[in-house]
Structure formats: structure tokens, C-alpha cells
Amino acid sequence: MYDMKALYQAESVQDAVALRLKHPEAQIIAGGSDVLVQMREGKRAGAELISVYGLDALRGVSLEADGTLRIGSLTSFSHITRDPLIQKYVNVLGEAVDQVGGPQIRNIGTIGGNTCNGVTSADSASTLFAYDATVELTGQDGVRRVPIQEFYIRAGKVDIRAGELQTAILISRESYEHTFGHYIKYAMRSAMDIATLGTSVNVRLSDDKKYVERARVAFGVAGPIPLRAETAEKTAAGARLSAELAEAFGAAVREDIHPRDSWRAARDFRMHIAVESAKRAFAEAVRLAGGEL
Amino acid sequence: MEKHLTQYQTVCFNLNGKDVERTVDVRASLTDLLRNDFRQTSVKKGCEVGECGACNVLIDGEAFNSCIYLAVWAEGKKVRTLEGLLGPNGELSDIQQAFVDESAIQCGFCSPGFILTAVEILESGKAYTDEELRKLLSGHLCRCTGYENILRAVKKTMYRRLGRELPQE
Ligand SMILES: Cc1cc2nc3c(=O)[nH]c(=O)nc-3n(C[C@H](O)[C@H](O)[C@H](O)COP(=O)(O)OP(=O)(O)OC[C@H]3O[C@@H](n4cnc5c(N)ncnc54)[C@H](O)[C@@H]3O)c2cc1C
Ligand code: FES
Ligand code: FES
């Protein structure tokens, strides 16, 4: 038995909003792979829960009329990885979430839970930052859209207001079009382990595939919340492809990241793998885009 | 809502091909429901925090750790446990027999979970490389066998079901 005070099961998004307003102390539970584990550990003992797990309307990936990619917040990791739209437009996201935990965790864990927990090591987060994703929240007054960089406030704290729940993650066409990306999860084990560092890079090359039109890089665990390394992005923008460029791109991430010491890894080591991962992920993204270094 | 008021709810679902119904405490995990109400003792309690896979069951064809799955979420779902793999007279299925033949079982605590993940793998009808199989099986801990025999049992059954020769190692 879980030590919960009460469970309210939302029947629809509107019902979830009503339940949120009626029980302001209650916590949302989606797949529960964070919430139930914390409850088992005693951290949320006695809490009231609002389950949104039954809201099938929030599952699945679709394209909106203007080409925006819409990922329902309850879509599980395994369904994201298998989704044809994800594979076509942001394959790197499917690859990133295919590195979460193990197969059973990828069947229960949702992308909504992975972003609402505000955790820097979340395997989806760096790629969503690197694609300038938008978070859609639904509340009493309808829908509110927040850039993912603003959605994260501090470690463990995201911008969800009274009565709201996250209903989708959106990636605009401008952001994903003609891009190729690569994610590197650095962890001590190849399964069932949390990232020591997560690095997500995506690039768009010029038509002749000799120049970088746009490059983006974001990290998890390089700071208290996921972050972009803009100095590296500027280094690559408009530059001619070369092996030196990959080196310079990697080296430049030092300007923007602030890893810390933890029991998982020392600060200097995280810095080292950040430089190396940025370089390798950049090289792989360029290769996928058909370019040569 | 009062502090210690217990909440009950009726769940209807399909267990190993049979429609069933139970009234459960909303605080129960699916492991609790399957073990206590349906005597599906193949569903083991290992870590109870989603790490070991001993409680794994198939829900609508996908593997889930039932220890971190609320019992009430089973509503309308098709749930399969190891008990559902047995033939009408208790005969072992091919994958269970392969675990026996390959000595993929020692204490047996991890086996039901592993075997149900194997069922999901086998029912996909695809041929996987060793590397892919290792990844697909990585959500389970075994403290006895060292995994190689488990991998071999799944691999041999996969080739048999696909009607192909097992490649020489
Ligand atoms: C064994 C194990 C291994 C794991 N390995 C990894 C890993 O390698 N990488 C990784 O990134 N994570 C890992 N996790 C953590 C977890 O699986 C993920 O964070 C997952 O995405 C959480 O999703 P969920 O739906 O289960 O979230 P829940 O536990 O249901 O919720 C998580 C948080 O988000 C909130 N929330 C959820 N959905 C919404 C919504 N729609 N609107 C508003 N708030 C919401 C909840 O209130 C809660 O605070 C692991 C967990 C376990 C148990
Ligand atoms: S008992 Fe459920 S994963 Fe260990
Ligand atoms: S056989 Fe004992 S844990 Fe696997």
C-alpha cells in the first residue's frame, strides 16, 4: 500500500483543472515513476494525489497546421521513440528518451513527468532545450505557453501555477526543420542509471553542406537546471566545417556551463566530459546532416 | 476528505484472458492486487521502487513494473502474468522451457519478470541482435545467473519462433 491520503482520478483535462483548484495541496501523478518511488521512500508520505494517467487525450504526437510538432504530455518514452513523426523530424529526442532507465521505465515514464519534475538530469530535457521547445499548460483561464528555458525556475521547481497541468510540449517547424541531432548520455552504467552529464547537439547545414547555418547545444547536469551553451553556438554559426571547428565548439562550452561537485562526479571531470561530449555530439550531428569535418 | 478515510474503487480488467472485477483500496499497487486478490504469486516483490523488474507484468502487451503502477490504473486493461503462459494442464510454454534448458534459473526470483519481458520481445516477431536483446532485457536484475544463460534462452526461443537456425557462436 502506498501511504497516500487520497487519490482523485481526473476524467478529462477540465476535470483535472477543477481537481487542482479544489485540492491545492494535492500533487499530480502521471506515470508515477518519480512520485510513487518518492512516496515509497517516505518523502511524500500522506500526500493527496490527482491522477492524470487516464487522460488518453494527452497521449501521442501530432503535427499542427503550421507544422508545429505537438507531443502530448502523457506520451511515454517508448511511444516517443517509436513515433514516426519524432523519427522524421527530431529523431534525437527519440534516441535520448530511449536511454532512460530500462524498458519498463520507458513504458511508464512520461515526457510531462520528466519535465515537470524540474530535474537537471532528465534525459529529455537537454534535447528540448536544444530545440527551444515550448511548454503548454492548461488551467482555469485556458492555455498558457511558456518557453522551456523559462519553464524551469530552479532545481526541482518549474512554472506551474495553481489549477494548471502540463498538456503538451511543442517544437516549432522553424526550430526542427532541416536539423540533425545527437544526444550523449554519460553515465556509469549503460542501463538503469541517471546521467552524470547529458549533451544534446543539433545542427542545420548550408545547402552545399560546407557551412554550419545553425548549431545548438544544451546540457543536463551542467548546472542546477538544463542550460544552453550559447558561446559554442555562436562559434559554429556560419562557420565552415572543419575538424578545428568541432574542437573550438567543444572548448567554447566552458564559457557557459557551471557543473558542480557531487557524489556522482567531480566538477573538473564534468567539465572535461562536457567539452568532449559537445565535440563528439557536434561531429555526429554534422555527419548525420551529410557534412564532413 | 478526512485524514484516514479509506477509499475503495471497483476495477474491471482482463487477467490472462479472463474478465475480472475487484474492489480495491486506491492505495494498492498492481503487485498488491495481483498477489493478494488473485494469488498471482509469480509477481514478486523485490525492490518495490521500479529498479529490479521482479514484479514485471504485461499490460496491453507492454512490460510494466507493477510495484510502481496503481491497481486502479488496471481499469479496462489486459494484464498478463506468468501464470497466463501455462498450458491447460500446467504445461510450460516454450520460453519457460528454454529457461529450464539453459539453466537460466537458479533461485527463480527474477525469472517471471524476465520471462514476461521475453514474451514482449518474442511477440514483436522481430529478430534482434545480441546487443539489442541485452538492452531490451536490461530492466531486470538477477543476483544468481550472471545473465548469459538468460540471454541464450531468449535468443534460442527467438530463433526457434522465427523458424531460423541459431547462428554458430
Ligand atoms: C528505476 C528508475 C530509473 C529511472 N531512470 C531515469 C533516467 O535514466 N533518466 C531520467 O530522465 N529519468 C529516470 N527516472 C525518473 C522518471 O522515470 C522520469 O523522470 C519520468 O519521466 C517521470 O515521468 P512520470 O510520468 O512517471 O512522472 P510522475 O512521477 O507521475 O511525476 C513526476 C513529477 O511531475 C509532475 N507531473 C507529471 N505530469 C505532470 C503534468 N502533466 N502536469 C503537471 N505536473 C506533472 C508530478 O507532480 C511530479 O512532480 C527513473 C525512474 C526510476 C524509477
Ligand atoms: S519489485 Fe518492482 S521493480 Fe523491483
Ligand atoms: S535466478 Fe536468482 S535472482 Fe535471478
Side-chain angles (χ1 to χ4, degrees):
Chain A
M1 294 285 166
Y2 284 99
D3 185 5
M4 68 177 85
K5 185 166 147 194
L7 177 73
Y8 313 108
Q9 290 200 79
E11 307 270 327
S12 64
V13 172
Q14 284 324 309
D15 187 31
V17 171
L19 286 168
R20 288 270 289 140
L21 293 168
K22 189 163 170 215
H23 307 284
E25 300 297 312
Q27 162 131 40
I28 292 178
I29 173 170
S33 59
D34 286 317
V35 170
L36 291 177
V37 170
Q38 287 157 2
M39 193 163 253
R40 196 73 93 191
E41 288 166 349
K43 271 183 230 153
R44 295 183 195 277
E48 296 171 276
L49 300 180
I50 297 171
S51 169
V52 296
Y53 192 65
L55 302 184
D56 286 339
L58 300 183
R59 293 199 159 85
V61 181
S62 55
L63 270 191
E64 297 191 334
D66 66 353
T68 301
L69 193 65
R70 179 184 188 85
I71 309 169
S73 292
L74 278 170
T75 314
S76 68
F77 296 126
S78 55
H79 285 225
I80 289 175
T81 302
R82 285 202 293 266
D83 188 90
L85 291 171
I86 296 284
Q87 291 175 359
K88 184 164 174 200
Y89 297 116
V90 283
N91 193 39
V92 54
L93 181 63
E95 287 178 354
V97 300
D98 195 38
Q99 296 181 47
V100 171
Q104 301 99 296
I105 299 297
R106 295 194 284 271
N107 285 339
I108 192 71
T110 66
I111 192 151
N114 206 226
T115 45
C116 291
N117 64 11
V119 171
T120 186
S121 60
D123 279 307
S124 67
S126 39
T127 300
L128 296 176
F129 269 65
Y131 275 102
D132 268 345
T134 300
V135 175
E136 180 191 276
L137 300 140
T138 302
Q140 206 174 2
D141 307 320
V143 164
R144 185 166 72 90
R145 292 183 166 187
V146 190
I148 194 150
Q149 304 221 32
E150 289 165 32
F151 180 66
Y152 281 74
I153 297 170
R154 58 172 188 274
K157 175 78 187 150
V158 292
D159 179 16
I160 300 179
R161 299 181 190 161
E164 285 183 340
L165 70 152
Q166 194 202 87
T167 41
I169 304 242
L170 310 166
I171 303 176
S172 73
R173 189 214 300 250
E174 191 285 314
S175 188
Y176 68 72
E177 213 172 28
H178 307 307
T179 62
F180 293 84
H182 188 62
Y183 176 72
I184 297 178
K185 175 175 183 170
Y186 188 98
M188 300 303 156
R189 299 179 73 232
S190 52
M192 303 298 277
D193 198 0
I194 300 297
T196 301
L197 188 86
T199 309
S200 189
V201 171
N202 64 77
V203 301
R204 182 185 290 154
L205 301 184
S206 58
D207 289 341
D208 64 3
K209 307 212 183 294
K210 298 242 184 296
Y211 292 88
V212 177
E213 230 176 74
R214 192 189 80 188
R216 287 171 170 177
V217 52
F219 292 100
V221 212
I225 57 174
L227 55 85
R228 286 271 286 273
E230 283 166 16
T231 310
E233 297 180 2
K234 285 194 194 111
T235 305
R240 194 180 172 91
L241 288 176
S242 67
E244 294 72 41
L245 182 64
E247 292 286 343
F249 182 82
V253 305
R254 294 175 152 278
E255 304 297 324
D256 297 304
I257 66 173
H258 346 274
R260 61 181 187 102
D261 287 313
S262 81
W263 63 267
R264 265 182 224 283
R267 186 195 127 79
D268 289 350
F269 179 60
R270 276 211 179 85
M271 199 53 120
H272 173 74
I273 53 179
V275 169
E276 197 56 34
S277 301
K279 183 180 100 183
R280 290 186 194 181
F282 177 80
E284 179 61 13
V286 166
R287 194 190 66 78
L288 291 168
E292 262 178 67
L293 287 180
Chain B
M1 173 101 11
E2 284 305 312
K3 193 158 182 182
H4 295 295
L5 201 71
T6 318
Q7 256 180 296
Y8 290 99
Q9 198 175 314
T10 302
V11 230
C12 305
F13 64 107
N14 183 287
L15 177 60
N16 295 327
K18 242 178 71 188
D19 289 331
V20 294
E21 185 183 307
R22 271 299 182 284
T23 299
V24 290
D25 188 321
V26 299
R27 298 171 300 167
S29 68
L30 182 59
T31 315
D32 291 329
L33 174 67
L34 292 171
R35 287 183 62 88
N36 301 344
D37 291 59
F38 294 99
R39 295 284 173 257
Q40 304 288 297
T41 50
S42 71
V43 186
K44 302 297 181 202
K45 287 194 174 191
C47 64
E48 288 196 80
V49 287
E51 295 272 352
C52 74
C55 62
N56 180 43
V57 298
L58 294 182
I59 302 175
D60 291 347
E62 295 182 10
F64 288 88
N65 290 333
S66 61
C67 70
I68 50 169
Y69 193 96
L70 294 179
V72 296
W73 287 346
E75 176 66 37
K77 301 269 176 10
K78 284 194 170 67
V79 179
R80 289 163 73 193
T81 64
L82 188 87
E83 283 81 348
L85 298 183
L86 295 175
N89 300 309
E91 303 91 338
L92 298 183
S93 58
D94 58 349
I95 181 67
Q96 289 168 292
Q97 189 59 50
F99 267 61
V100 176
D101 296 343
E102 298 301 324
S103 301
I105 300 181
Q106 286 183 30
C107 79
F109 205 78
C110 67
S111 313
F114 260 117
I115 289 172
L116 287 168
T117 286
V119 168
E120 185 186 345
I121 294 171
L122 296 168
E123 289 182 354
S124 75
K126 292 186 196 142
Y128 295 99
T129 63
D130 284 11
E131 194 67 25
E132 288 167 336
L133 285 178
R134 280 202 171 84
K135 183 167 181 204
L136 289 166
L137 293 166
S138 67
H140 296 272
L141 293 177
C142 176
R143 297 284 90 151
C144 307
T145 68
Y147 303 106
E148 282 304 315
N149 298 357
I150 293 173
L151 180 72
R152 196 172 319 114
V154 177
K155 189 172 156 183
K156 283 199 174 168
T157 313
M158 179 180 81
Y159 276 95
R160 212 174 296 126
R161 285 206 192 175
L162 292 168
R164 296 193 200 161
E165 285 292 318
L166 189 74
Q168 292 303 313
E169 282 173 13

